[in-house]
Amino acid sequence: MSATTTQGYIAARFYGMRSRLLTKDDYLRLLTSYDLSSFIADLRNFPIYKTILENRLLLEDPLTAVDSTINIVLSERMKKVIHLSGGVYQKAFKLLSFKWELANIQLAIRSILRTADFQPYFIPIGDLNQSELLHLAKCSDLNEALNYLESILNPLAQVVRQLIEANVLPTDLDTVDGIFNQFYYNQIKKGIKNIKNRKIANIMKKTLNEEREFENTKTIINFIGRISRGTALDKLDFSLLIFPGKARILPEEIELAVRKRDIKTLQTILLRTSYRDVIQKMIQEAGMVGTLQIFVEEIEKIFLASQTRKRFKRHAFNLGLGYIWQMTVEARNLRILTHGLENFTQNEIEKRLFLE
């Protein structure tokens, strides 16, 4: 069936797609799996994962196969969202998928820099397929990666060129991630300006501001943790790490507080955000650096709840936006289950799951 711009049709398709998402009861059943093998057997019971998982198990080890399956399902769902809609809807949904497309390049670059020994799990979406992404990840250096992307006329060669021009050290992950983040926000802002439907453009703008606030909050908590541990923060480019958005958090004020190693000011800034209640609890437990990750996870759950609830708001685009976040949550939960079953208790895993 061809793409459409009819709100009623689009809404009906999203309602149908939402019915195939896993439920709280499904997650709790998967949580009873006693090891990875039993988890895989249980995951096979869900038709959307069954065939893809069985195919990946023929090619990869069990853990890699599950990770690949999660990403392939996520990718296919996003492609379906883009395919079923037309016109301005399709343009906006495609813009939303850009984050994952760029994240694939970022993951490949991290692999090239060899800052960590990890298996890159790509979400195959955008102009590059899985084999092309794996080829990119195996390039010997950034120049070879740039030449490859330029040879296939991939527009994301721009961000790799920026990394080379900035002469970023392979160990400087803050700057590497910062350049990717800045590129992402600039491209999304430009894309939103080109959306003619003002209602959809405003929804996109609000979503971007909420996402900025969430990312800024995590970054500031990371700074607090690093200051508490006495980690060096001298070479950071704050304009690449903090992006003005909701709550009007500015790079300049964060930089001033970090340079002074002023945790109290950073905490005061965080109290301006939508996560005030969590921050208040974090301040009350000041000095417990090891618990900061717990608060980051609490903040993530609040952010995810606010995004998935968009499906209740009036406009077919909001319904689609909520569904995209719901399918993202499903992928997140399955990854937590996959990697947690053999390392954590069921109670510890359940606390990390998003079950709303």
Side-chain angles (χ1 to χ4, degrees):
M1 190 175 289
S2 60
T4 180
T5 58
T6 305
Q7 283 200 44
Y9 167 80
I10 291 173
R13 290 298 300 271
F14 281 131
Y15 277 115
M17 290 160 71
R18 279 178 54 210
S19 69
R20 301 186 69 189
L21 291 165
L22 301 191
T23 66
K24 178 179 178 179
D25 288 341
D26 292 330
Y27 293 128
L28 293 178
R29 277 196 297 273
L30 287 168
L31 187 57
T32 64
S33 305
Y34 51 85
D35 60 16
L36 184 60
S37 295
S38 65
F39 175 79
I40 288 172
D42 290 337
L43 193 59
R44 276 194 174 110
N45 293 325
F46 300 101
I48 195 166
Y49 290 99
K50 178 179 170 59
T51 303
I52 297 170
L53 179 57
E54 289 174 349
N55 289 338
R56 299 316 300 180
L57 285 167
L58 297 174
L59 303 171
E60 300 165 332
D61 65 84
L63 184 60
T64 303
V66 175
D67 276 316
S68 296
T69 299
I70 292 168
N71 282 357
I72 290 169
V73 169
L74 188 60
S75 170
E76 289 186 352
R77 281 172 161 166
M78 191 68 216
K79 288 174 183 175
K80 191 170 183 179
V81 168
I82 294 170
H83 177 72
L84 71 85
S85 57
V88 68
Y89 287 90
Q90 186 176 78
K91 190 172 185 177
F93 288 134
K94 191 165 177 55
L95 188 59
L96 286 168
S97 73
F98 176 71
K99 183 173 186 176
W100 298 343
E101 188 177 351
L102 184 62
N104 286 334
I105 305 297
Q106 188 171 0
L107 190 58
I109 293 303
R110 278 176 166 260
S111 181
I112 291 168
L113 296 175
R114 293 180 178 86
T115 52
D117 183 19
F118 61 87
Q119 166 72 37
Y121 297 113
F122 299 109
I123 300 172
I125 196 165
D127 295 332
L128 297 180
N129 60 34
Q130 188 81 356
S131 61
E132 289 170 326
L133 288 165
L134 287 170
H135 175 80
L136 177 65
K138 291 176 182 175
C139 288
S140 59
D141 56 32
L142 293 183
N143 286 306
E144 184 181 338
L146 177 61
N147 290 336
Y148 173 65
L149 290 172
E150 288 184 333
S151 71
I152 58 175
L153 303 178
N154 189 287
L156 296 182
Q158 297 175 59
V159 68
V160 180
R161 190 179 300 110
Q162 287 179 24
L163 285 173
I164 294 171
E165 290 172 353
N167 198 25
V168 180
L169 293 173
T171 55
D172 188 359
L173 286 185
D174 286 319
T175 302
V176 171
D177 291 345
I179 287 173
F180 270 94
N181 290 339
Q182 187 178 63
F183 185 81
Y184 166 72
Y185 286 118
N186 288 340
Q187 293 300 309
I188 293 293
K189 277 166 48 180
K190 191 184 301 181
I192 291 173
K193 285 181 181 178
N194 292 329
I195 293 175
K196 305 299 182 187
N197 185 303
R198 286 297 91 198
K199 286 186 178 178
I200 291 178
N202 287 336
I203 292 170
M204 288 282 287
K205 196 179 297 183
K206 183 178 179 183
T207 297
L208 180 62
N209 282 338
E210 291 167 348
E211 187 178 25
R212 283 173 173 173
E213 181 189 42
F214 170 59
E215 296 296 340
N216 285 341
T217 301
K218 289 195 300 180
T219 300
I220 295 168
I221 292 175
N222 178 46
F223 289 155
I224 290 173
R226 291 169 72 174
I227 290 170
S228 300
R229 291 189 297 270
T231 306
L233 292 162
D234 298 331
K235 297 180 181 179
L236 297 178
D237 184 345
F238 290 83
S239 67
L240 295 175
L241 299 172
I242 300 292
F243 297 90
K246 193 176 178 183
R248 298 190 180 279
I249 295 173
L250 303 174
E252 298 81 6
E253 65 176 341
I254 303 303
E255 180 170 13
L256 183 62
V258 170
R259 298 295 183 220
K260 291 181 176 180
R261 309 186 82 77
D262 185 352
I263 290 177
K264 187 173 181 179
T265 294
L266 292 174
Q267 292 172 337
T268 301
I269 293 168
L270 288 173
L271 288 171
R272 301 204 307 253
T273 70
S274 305
Y275 312 105
R276 184 180 300 103
D277 291 344
V278 177
I279 300 303
Q280 198 67 258
K281 283 197 296 181
M282 185 185 81
I283 292 171
Q284 289 168 3
E285 297 184 24
M288 300 178 67
V289 180
T291 65
L292 288 181
Q293 182 57 33
I294 295 172
F295 297 113
V296 171
E297 290 177 6
E298 279 192 51
I299 286 166
E300 182 183 26
K301 286 183 178 181
I302 293 171
F303 172 73
L304 290 173
S306 71
Q307 299 309 309
T308 56
R309 286 171 189 152
K310 291 181 188 297
R311 68 189 186 276
F312 297 120
K313 297 185 178 177
R314 300 178 59 189
H315 198 289
F317 184 76
N318 268 319
L319 185 65
L321 189 56
Y323 169 74
I324 289 170
W325 281 106
Q326 283 179 292
M327 69 186 196
T328 304
V329 165
E330 181 171 301
R332 170 194 179 275
N333 281 348
L334 289 177
R335 288 193 190 100
I336 288 171
L337 285 163
T338 304
H339 292 269
L341 283 171
E342 296 184 355
N343 300 300
F344 302 101
T345 66
Q346 286 188 357
N347 187 49
E348 287 171 332
I349 297 170
E350 186 174 350
K351 282 180 180 178
R352 296 192 63 202
L353 294 175
F354 182 84
L355 298 174
E356 285 199 17

